[in-house]
Amino acid sequence: MNKPGGPTAAAAAAAAQKQKNLLQRADTEISNLLENFGLMVNVARVQAADSLLKLVSELKQTAIFSNFASLNEHVEQRTMEFNLLAEKTNRMLAEIGEEAAASLKELESHYYSSMQRTTQSES
């Protein structure tokens, strides 16, 4: 019937069942590994996206603040230009006022010494 030292049908069935159980456990463990790996990749994506958003935010702040320095410099330069222009305009207005006063004085002098005024006052 059975050879000595050879597997029996029950032992062969038990070995086959054990091998089937081991393969099922291996499949389950591999599935768990794949699922966990997928979760790790998703977490890594979220962390990478978060990191990227923080970097973009820092770059924007750096660009804004460095532009503020440039903008402030430009505003100061324009303010100085406008102040010089205002001084020049004030000097020009003062000269025009002096010329107008001198012309008015000259016109008054001509008016008071004119013949027409003297003849009107005599009438």
Side-chain angles (χ1 to χ4, degrees), residues 45-118:
R45 282 183 191 161
V46 170
Q47 287 177 349
D50 187 48
S51 236
L52 186 59
L53 287 174
K54 287 179 182 176
L55 176 63
V56 168
S57 176
E58 288 178 30
L59 287 172
K60 284 181 181 178
Q61 287 177 354
T62 302
I64 288 171
F65 290 133
S66 68
N67 282 342
F68 275 146
S70 171
L71 185 61
N72 283 340
E73 183 180 316
H74 180 70
V75 167
E76 288 176 12
Q77 180 185 2
R78 293 295 286 170
T79 302
M80 288 174 46
E81 290 173 8
F82 287 132
N83 285 338
L84 290 174
L85 187 60
E87 289 175 14
K88 182 179 176 183
T89 303
N90 286 338
R91 282 194 305 269
M92 192 181 300
L93 287 173
E95 289 174 11
I96 291 171
E98 289 171 4
E99 287 176 12
S103 295
L104 184 60
K105 197 172 197 181
E106 186 179 337
L107 287 172
E108 278 182 348
S109 170
H110 283 291
Y111 174 74
Y112 288 119
S113 64
S114 73
M115 285 293 274
Q116 206 173 26
R117 183 192 173 298
T118 54

Side-chain angles (χ1 to χ4, degrees), residues 19-47:
Q19 186 178 5
K20 184 179 177 185
N21 287 342
L22 287 174
L23 288 173
Q24 284 178 346
R25 277 182 50 199
D27 284 343
T28 303
E29 293 299 321
I30 289 172
S31 294
N32 287 340
L33 281 172
L34 286 173
E35 184 179 339
N36 289 337
F37 182 73
L39 291 173
M40 286 177 22
V41 167
N42 286 337
V43 167
R45 282 183 191 161
V46 170
Q47 287 177 349

